[in-house]
Coordinates of all heavy atoms in Angstrom, one line a residue:
P314 N 0.8 -45.1 -0.3 CA 1.2 -43.7 0.0 C 0.0 -42.8 -0.2 O -0.9 -43.0 -1.0 CB 2.2 -43.5 -1.2 CG 2.7 -44.8 -1.6 CD 1.6 -45.8 -1.3
A315 N -0.1 -41.7 0.7 CA -1.1 -40.8 0.7 C -0.9 -39.8 -0.5 O 0.2 -39.4 -0.8 CB -1.1 -40.1 2.0
V316 N -2.0 -39.4 -1.0 CA -2.0 -38.4 -2.2 C -2.9 -37.3 -1.9 O -3.9 -37.5 -1.4 CB -2.5 -39.1 -3.5 CG1 -2.5 -38.1 -4.6 CG2 -1.5 -40.3 -3.8
V317 N -2.5 -36.1 -2.1 CA -3.3 -34.9 -2.0 C -3.4 -34.1 -3.3 O -2.6 -34.2 -4.2 CB -2.7 -33.9 -0.9 CG1 -2.7 -34.6 0.4 CG2 -1.4 -33.4 -1.3
S318 N -4.5 -33.4 -3.4 CA -4.7 -32.5 -4.6 C -5.1 -31.1 -4.0 O -6.1 -31.0 -3.3 CB -5.8 -33.0 -5.5 OG -6.0 -32.1 -6.6
C319 N -4.2 -30.1 -4.3 CA -4.5 -28.8 -3.8 C -5.1 -27.9 -4.8 O -4.9 -28.1 -6.0 CB -3.1 -28.2 -3.3 SG -2.3 -29.2 -2.0
V320 N -5.9 -26.9 -4.4 CA -6.4 -25.9 -5.2 C -5.9 -24.5 -4.8 O -5.9 -24.2 -3.6 CB -8.0 -25.9 -5.1 CG1 -8.5 -24.8 -5.9 CG2 -8.5 -27.3 -5.5
A321 N -5.4 -23.9 -5.8 CA -4.8 -22.5 -5.5 C -5.9 -21.6 -5.1 O -7.0 -21.7 -5.6 CB -4.0 -22.0 -6.7
G322 N -5.6 -20.6 -4.3 CA -6.5 -19.6 -3.9 C -6.9 -18.6 -5.1 O -6.2 -18.7 -6.1
P323 N -7.9 -17.8 -4.8 CA -8.3 -17.0 -6.0 C -7.3 -16.0 -6.6 O -7.4 -15.7 -7.7 CB -9.5 -16.2 -5.4 CG -9.3 -16.4 -3.8 CD -8.6 -17.6 -3.7
L324 N -6.3 -15.6 -5.8 CA -5.4 -14.7 -6.3 C -4.4 -15.4 -7.2 O -3.6 -14.8 -8.0 CB -4.6 -14.0 -5.1 CG -5.4 -12.9 -4.3 CD1 -4.6 -12.5 -3.2 CD2 -5.6 -11.7 -5.3
Y325 N -4.3 -16.7 -7.1 CA -3.2 -17.5 -7.8 C -3.8 -18.4 -8.9 O -3.0 -19.1 -9.6 CB -2.5 -18.4 -6.8 CG -1.8 -17.6 -5.8 CD1 -2.4 -17.3 -4.6 CD2 -0.5 -17.1 -5.9 CE1 -1.8 -16.5 -3.6 CE2 0.1 -16.3 -4.9 CZ -0.6 -16.1 -3.8 OH 0.1 -15.3 -2.8
T326 N -5.1 -18.4 -9.1 CA -5.6 -19.2 -10.2 C -6.1 -18.3 -11.4 O -6.4 -17.1 -11.3 CB -6.9 -19.9 -9.8 OG1 -7.4 -20.8 -10.8 CG2 -8.0 -19.0 -9.2
H327 N -5.9 -18.9 -12.6 CA -6.2 -18.1 -13.8 C -7.6 -18.5 -14.3 O -8.1 -18.0 -15.3 CB -5.2 -18.4 -15.0 CG -3.8 -18.0 -14.6 ND1 -3.4 -16.6 -14.4 CD2 -2.7 -18.7 -14.3 CE1 -2.2 -16.5 -14.1 NE2 -1.7 -17.8 -14.0
N328 N -8.2 -19.5 -13.7 CA -9.6 -20.0 -14.0 C -10.6 -19.0 -13.6 O -10.8 -18.9 -12.3 CB -9.8 -21.4 -13.5 CG -11.1 -22.1 -14.0 OD1 -12.1 -21.4 -14.0 ND2 -11.0 -23.3 -14.4
V329 N -11.3 -18.3 -14.5 CA -12.2 -17.3 -14.1 C -13.4 -17.9 -13.2 O -13.9 -17.3 -12.3 CB -12.8 -16.6 -15.3 CG1 -13.9 -15.5 -14.9 CG2 -11.7 -15.9 -16.1
A330 N -13.9 -19.0 -13.7 CA -15.0 -19.7 -13.0 C -14.6 -20.0 -11.5 O -15.4 -19.9 -10.6 CB -15.5 -20.9 -13.8
L331 N -13.4 -20.6 -11.4 CA -12.9 -20.9 -10.1 C -12.7 -19.8 -9.2 O -12.9 -19.8 -8.0 CB -11.6 -21.8 -10.3 CG -11.0 -22.4 -9.0 CD1 -12.0 -23.4 -8.5 CD2 -9.7 -23.1 -9.3
K332 N -12.2 -18.7 -9.8 CA -12.1 -17.5 -9.1 C -13.4 -17.0 -8.3 O -13.5 -16.5 -7.2 CB -11.5 -16.3 -9.9 CG -10.0 -16.3 -10.0 CD -9.5 -15.1 -10.8 CE -8.0 -15.0 -10.8 NZ -7.5 -13.9 -11.4
K333 N -14.5 -17.0 -9.2 CA -15.8 -16.7 -8.6 C -16.3 -17.6 -7.6 O -16.9 -17.2 -6.6 CB -16.8 -16.6 -9.8 CG -16.5 -15.5 -10.8 CD -17.6 -15.6 -11.9 CE -17.3 -14.4 -12.9 NZ -18.3 -14.4 -14.0
K334 N -15.9 -18.9 -7.7 CA -16.4 -19.9 -6.7 C -15.6 -19.7 -5.5 O -16.2 -19.8 -4.4 CB -16.1 -21.3 -7.3 CG -16.7 -22.4 -6.5 CD -16.5 -23.8 -7.1 CE -17.0 -24.9 -6.2 NZ -16.7 -26.2 -6.9
L335 N -14.3 -19.4 -5.5 CA -13.5 -19.2 -4.4 C -13.5 -17.8 -3.8 O -12.5 -17.1 -3.9 CB -12.0 -19.7 -4.7 CG -11.8 -21.1 -5.1 CD1 -10.4 -21.2 -5.6 CD2 -12.0 -22.1 -4.0
K336 N -14.5 -17.4 -3.2 CA -14.7 -16.1 -2.7 C -14.0 -15.9 -1.4 O -14.0 -16.9 -0.6 CB -16.2 -15.7 -2.7 CG -17.0 -15.6 -4.0 CD -18.4 -15.3 -3.7 CE -19.1 -15.1 -5.1 NZ -20.6 -14.8 -4.9
V337 N -13.4 -14.8 -1.2 CA -12.8 -14.6 0.2 C -13.6 -13.5 0.9 O -14.5 -12.8 0.4 CB -11.3 -14.0 -0.1 CG1 -10.5 -15.1 -0.8 CG2 -11.3 -12.7 -0.9
S338 N -13.3 -13.5 2.2 CA -14.1 -12.6 3.1 C -13.9 -11.2 2.8 O -12.8 -10.7 2.4 CB -13.6 -12.9 4.5 OG -14.2 -12.0 5.4
K339 N -14.9 -10.4 3.0 CA -14.9 -8.9 2.7 C -14.8 -8.2 4.1 O -14.8 -7.0 4.2 CB -16.1 -8.4 2.0 CG -16.1 -9.0 0.5 CD -17.3 -8.3 -0.2 CE -17.2 -8.7 -1.7 NZ -18.4 -8.2 -2.4
N340 N -14.7 -9.0 5.2 CA -14.7 -8.5 6.5 C -13.3 -8.6 7.2 O -13.2 -8.2 8.3 CB -15.7 -9.2 7.4 CG -17.2 -9.0 7.0 OD1 -17.5 -7.8 6.5 ND2 -17.9 -9.9 7.0

Side-chain angles (χ1 to χ4, degrees):
V316 177
V317 297
S318 177
C319 302
V320 177
L324 286 173
Y325 299 92
T326 180
H327 300 293
N328 188 315
V329 178
L331 188 59
K332 274 189 177 183
K333 291 181 180 179
K334 186 178 179 180
L335 298 171
K336 293 181 179 179
V337 297
S338 173
K339 293 184 178 180
N340 296 320

